[in-house]
Amino acid sequence: MDLLIALPWPVRLAALAALLFGAAAAFTGLAFALERRLAHRRIFAIALHPGQRRRELTNALVFLSLLTIAATAYLGAGWVDWSGRGWAAGLVTFFACWFGFDVYYYLLHRAMHTRALIRVHREHHASHVTTPLTAFSTSIPECLGWIVGYALVPLGMTGLGLAVHPTGFLAYLLYNFWGNILGHVNSEVIPAFVARRVHSWTAHPIIYHSLHHARYTGHYSFCATFMDRTLGSEWSDWPELHARVVAGEPLTSLKQRGAAPP
């Protein structure tokens, strides 16, 4: 990280562009391959809107461009103590980012579903049936909200006197990218046992977020269910729908409901 910070800003911009665009491209390609490979576990058997993938790709390129510019400025500002070293500091950084971003994103996401802010989030919800490209298909204001979320935990750790581990943060950022992209495929890649609610506190199946795009409210969490479960925005029928999809029975309507558990 010290080497990256020391680079002249045009070189730092180019290096970050290569990292962020490269990671997004690699993960998106892998996610599309998984979606095709698991076509027998298709979630929604519903056609995409005409031009959806082109719109999503355009939005994703804007998102990644803004993130690259913001990251270049952020690293050059000297606001974060990146001196964390050792495996323990790496784990602390990773899990602090994991927990902090999930809490932050839940609150941001739920706020964007209020009448005052719904316009900010409407572009993302133009995709009722999702693809890996949906992950970064947002409006510019929503993109800025994501950027704040990425920056917030390292700033908070520095404010508390905790050094941030560069590799721990990078590992979380890659996890975040992969989780976001994978979470928008239209095939269920998560095995049946995760449908048991006790196993989904820290990770949820793909259908969990697919239902958010179909129903529009509820399931505001990023990659875990603990915020939805704690604050009462989890639908009780998702495990039954997950079981259907894993068994090869795709959903045929955005309004489809499953049986609630006894």
Side-chain angles (χ1 to χ4, degrees), residues 33-74:
L34 280 171
E35 190 175 69
R36 290 192 297 271
R37 176 67 179 81
L38 295 172
H40 60 289
R41 288 186 174 186
R42 190 177 185 187
I43 295 174
F44 281 105
I46 300 173
L48 301 180
H49 291 305
Q52 177 176 327
R53 286 182 177 171
R54 179 179 297 180
R55 173 182 55 79
E56 290 176 341
L57 177 59
T58 299
N59 288 336
L61 292 174
V62 172
F63 182 105
L64 293 167
S65 297
L66 291 175
L67 178 58
T68 300
I69 294 168
T72 301
Y74 180 70

Side-chain angles (χ1 to χ4, degrees), residues 165-179:
H165 193 289
T167 304
F169 176 73
L170 178 60
Y172 174 73
L173 186 63
L174 293 175
Y175 163 85
N176 184 288
F177 268 42
W178 174 238

Side-chain angles (χ1 to χ4, degrees), residues 210-231:
S210 298
L211 292 175
H212 173 77
H213 276 263
R215 300 177 182 180
Y216 209 64
T217 57
H219 289 195
Y220 301 104
S221 294
F222 180 60
C223 282
T225 63
F226 68 88
M227 288 296 290
D228 279 314
R229 200 160 292 172
T230 301
L231 298 179

Side-chain angles (χ1 to χ4, degrees), residues 13 86 91 118 124 157 161-162 174 183 185 197-198 205 215 234 262:
L13 179 71
L91 289 175
I118 192 60
H124 187 63
M157 290 179 66
L162 299 172
L174 293 175
V185 301
R197 293 179 72 247
V198 69
R215 300 177 182 180
E234 178 189 17

Side-chain angles (χ1 to χ4, degrees), residues 3-23:
L3 178 61
L4 189 60
I5 292 171
L7 292 172
W9 75 261
V11 182
R12 190 188 322 131
L13 179 71
L16 286 169
L19 172 65
L20 297 174
F21 278 85

